[in-house]
Amino acid sequence: MGFYDLSKSERTQLADTIYKEISEAVSNSQLNGIRHYFSDEDTYIRKTAYLSIGKLYKITEKTQTEILEILDILLKSDNPKVRQTTINAAGEIGMQNFEVVRHFFDVGLFDDHHSVRNAVIGSLKKMGAKNPVPTLKWAKGYLEHPEKEIRREICHGIELRGRTHPQDVLPLLKKLQHDETSRVRNTLIHVLGQIAYKKGCLETVVGTLKSWDNIELVKLALDEIVDVHHRYKNFAFLSQQQAITYINQNFN
């Protein structure tokens, strides 16, 4: 039975049990007690496990070193689910202290399994939102990496910070404006659309795009921004027509 097959009270009880057992496993350096949950087939069981690690790290300072040592071991697991959950756990810690977990992302970014790399993207999103300065500094170092998929993943990963603070990520995105790889270019256009529909964000994005010199890409990005204002019309600050009017008035 999956996590969300349970009633709300049963889910709460299970989450409490997972937290308690992981806490005991950390205290006793019992990797199997953690690996058991990190390898579970149910995504939400694994999520509950890595959230438990993040909570333990935050509230139990005396076990922080033990937690990091355990995660270092689990990152070497043959099971991609364990490695994926380990990266997600590192992301929870990275929202508080990025430097102690940055090596997890240096490794995970090049993992053979897509789920582990996706965990890097997801962690980069939440760390960028909560702890942006060191996270974005780390991301910047990979934006010109020779491997196209690395550049694409980093571009995607900094999106969430851009939704509320586009000015923080636009200088990084600008480095990709002449990328010749279609997957990177398409991701860049997607991210520019995603960071332009909240209150005050369209003005910042459009104002910045005026200084970019890849006119063809800028046109595609503006089209995406207009389209996003329709697709996300229930969440966008401006209507699609208002976005079109603003762009026409402020962009030649």
Side-chain angles (χ1 to χ4, degrees), residues 154 166 227:
I154 293 296
D227 192 50

Side-chain angles (χ1 to χ4, degrees), residues 27 40-41 48 62 67 71 110 168 178 187 208 212 216 240 243 251:
S27 297
D40 197 278
E41 291 295 321
T48 302
K62 65 180 181 180
I67 288 172
L71 293 180
F110 298 92
D168 289 355
H178 293 293
T187 300
T208 299
W212 290 22
E216 180 182 355
Q240 184 184 47
F251 208 104

Side-chain angles (χ1 to χ4, degrees), residues 179-193:
D179 200 297
E180 297 180 354
T181 304
S182 60
R183 278 176 61 80
V184 177
R185 188 167 57 251
N186 291 340
T187 300
L188 173 59
I189 292 167
H190 164 80
V191 170
L192 288 168

Side-chain angles (χ1 to χ4, degrees), residues 8 46 51 56 69-70 99 115 128-129 134 148 169 206 210:
K8 184 176 180 179
R46 299 197 304 274
L51 289 175
L56 276 171
E69 289 174 349
I70 288 169
E99 291 304 323
S115 69
K148 60 186 179 183
V169 304
V206 168
K210 290 167 70 172

Side-chain angles (χ1 to χ4, degrees), residues 12-13 19 25 27 34 48 60 75 81-82 88 95 139 149 151 163 167 170 175 202 217 240 242:
T12 300
Q13 184 177 2
Y19 176 81
S27 297
I34 300 170
T48 302
T60 318
L75 187 62
K81 285 186 172 60
V82 173
N88 280 320
M95 288 191 289
E149 199 57 21
R151 302 193 303 275
R163 289 193 187 187
Q167 68 276 8
L170 282 164
K175 292 179 175 294
L202 178 66
L217 181 133
Q240 184 184 47
Q242 287 174 320

